């Protein structure tokens, strides 16, 4: 089956393209690097020719809620219109577990707009909502890192391997749309501070970590069980330890 991966050059996108190929399908890589801008729609009609399903794994990082909402609204509207013109039968969106439970996060606000447009749209859909990726703790360190250290909030998460999420996206896209959200999480819960410390150690990177909700871009509204998946979530096989071992090999 011919499947377009929107954001196919990104972290999740590259794994999704590989997963589709491994299952014998024909991925079409769509991003600005392949000549398509989903915020304007330029190049989309040509990219979607002969495509049966679309997987949207585009991303946009901004601390500004309005900017995130505008980006995800524009790209989703452009995609859904182009999919209608091209006769695409299935729109698969990658979202994040629990975006409805955290009001103050700009990225989650953008994802809520994306989900609403997809679920109200004319193209049959499936949403895959993933928990945080294993690299998330290191990403959070990067947001606040100075010579004095980095602030990491003591967030309870059930992180997942990007490759496991990509496998599920590729599996779902070639099946019939289900019109509901399928959650995916890793096999264990972890504390984000511990994950950050172990990731930095594996990479041979010495940073003082300050475990705090204060001065963190992640608000205390994310404390407790808020970030955990529901009981029906698909539990992916890869453990954090397995992923950590790949980090130490970076040299
Ligand atoms: N990080 C997590 O823990 C986590 C957890 C669950 C779900 N997610 C979701 O995973 C998704 C993908 O994240 P990622 O880490 O793979 O992102 P990423 O590595 O930053 O990749 C983003 C992709 O979007 C493309 N893109 C950006 N703007 C575009 C535009 N205007 N037109 C066309 N393509 C555009 C980029 O390619 P070009 O630069 O070539 O355009 C790239 O291929 C996000 O939606 C995020 O919400 C993340």
């Amino acid at each position: 089956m011919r499947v377009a991966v929107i954001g196919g050059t990104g972290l999740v996108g590259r794994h999704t393209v590989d997963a589709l190929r491994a299952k014998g399908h024909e991925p079409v890589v769509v991003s600005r690097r392949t000549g398509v801008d989903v915020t304007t729609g330029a190049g989309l009609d040509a990219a979607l020719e002969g495509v049966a399903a679309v997987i949207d794994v585009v991303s946009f990082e901004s601390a500004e809620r309005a900017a995130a909402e505008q980006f995800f609204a524009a790209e989703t509207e452009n995609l859904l219109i182009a999919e209608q013109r091209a006769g695409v039968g299935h729109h698969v969106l990658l979202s994040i577990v629990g975006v409805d439970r955290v009001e103050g996060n700009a990225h989650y606000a953008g994802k809520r707009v994306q989900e609403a447009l997809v679920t109200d749209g004319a193209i049959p859909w499936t949403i895959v909502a993933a928990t945080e990726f294993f690299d998330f703790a290191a990403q959070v360190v990067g947001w606040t890192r100075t010579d004095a250290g980095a602030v990491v909030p003591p967030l309870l998460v059930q992180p997942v391997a990007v490759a496991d999420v990509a496998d599920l996206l590729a599996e779902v896209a070639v099946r019939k749309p289900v019109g509901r959200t399928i959650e995916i999480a890793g096999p264990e819960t972890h504390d984000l501070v511990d994950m950050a410390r172990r990731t930095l150690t594996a990479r041979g990177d010495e940073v003082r970590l300050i475990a705090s909700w204060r001065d963190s871009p992640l608000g205390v509204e994310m404390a407790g069980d808020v970030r955990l998946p529901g009981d029906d979530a698909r539990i992916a096989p890869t453990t954090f330890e397995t992923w950590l071992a790949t980090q130490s090999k970076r040299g």
Side-chain angles (χ1 to χ4, degrees):
M1 186 188 280
R2 199 167 156 86
V3 181
V5 182
I6 316 297
T9 56
L11 175 66
V12 183
R14 288 192 304 270
H15 282 279
T16 307
V17 166
D18 289 347
L20 284 164
R21 279 207 187 103
K23 293 178 200 294
H25 299 289
E26 189 192 343
V28 179
V29 178
V30 177
S31 86
R32 287 168 299 188
R33 258 169 286 172
T34 66
V36 182
D37 189 329
V38 282
T39 57
T40 63
L44 254 184
D45 285 341
L48 296 187
E49 254 173 51
V51 161
V54 162
I55 302 175
D56 183 2
V57 290
V58 150
S59 198
F60 176 78
E61 285 307 321
S62 174
E64 298 297 325
R65 184 186 179 123
E69 288 176 340
Q70 271 165 29
F71 175 89
F72 284 115
E75 66 92 10
T76 307
E77 280 164 358
N78 287 332
L79 269 180
L80 295 177
I81 291 166
E83 286 170 27
Q84 239 177 334
R85 278 196 296 265
V88 172
H90 191 180
H91 182 94
V92 179
L93 169 66
L94 175 61
S95 193
I96 305 175
V97 162
V99 288
D100 290 334
R101 298 193 289 263
V102 181
E103 177 56 33
N105 181 296
H107 189 71
Y108 294 176
K111 300 300 286 185
R112 285 195 292 271
V113 169
Q114 224 183 0
E115 287 192 359
L117 287 167
V118 168
T119 55
D120 292 346
I123 308 293
W125 56 275
T126 305
I127 293 176
V128 170
T131 53
E132 285 73 16
F133 301 148
F134 289 142
D135 192 47
F136 184 66
Q139 242 180 297
V140 172
V141 169
W143 292 342
T144 58
R145 184 174 185 159
T146 64
D147 289 346
V151 178
V152 180
L155 197 66
L156 183 64
V157 289
Q158 193 168 330
V160 66
V162 170
D164 289 342
V165 174
D167 271 346
L168 180 60
L169 288 167
E171 180 190 318
V172 158
V174 299
R175 286 206 237 116
K176 280 200 173 70
V178 295
R180 66 178 177 86
T181 298
I182 300 169
E183 291 191 338
I184 178 168
E188 306 145 339
T189 54
H190 286 275
D191 158 32
L192 198 69
V193 183
D194 182 58
M195 284 175 70
R197 216 181 297 283
R198 292 168 74 190
T199 306
L200 295 168
T201 302
R203 293 178 180 174
D205 191 0
E206 275 184 36
V207 186
R208 176 175 168 249
L209 295 183
I210 302 144
S212 174
W213 292 101
R214 196 182 298 161
D215 302 326
S216 165
L218 304 178
V220 74
E221 60 176 337
M222 293 171 83
D225 290 352
V226 165
R227 303 304 308 139
L228 299 185
D231 293 340
D232 294 340
R234 165 93 66 113
I235 302 301
T238 309
T239 63
F240 182 59
E241 281 69 23
T242 303
W243 177 81
L244 264 186
T246 68
Q247 300 304 293
S248 54
K249 283 185 204 129
R250 285 171 155 205

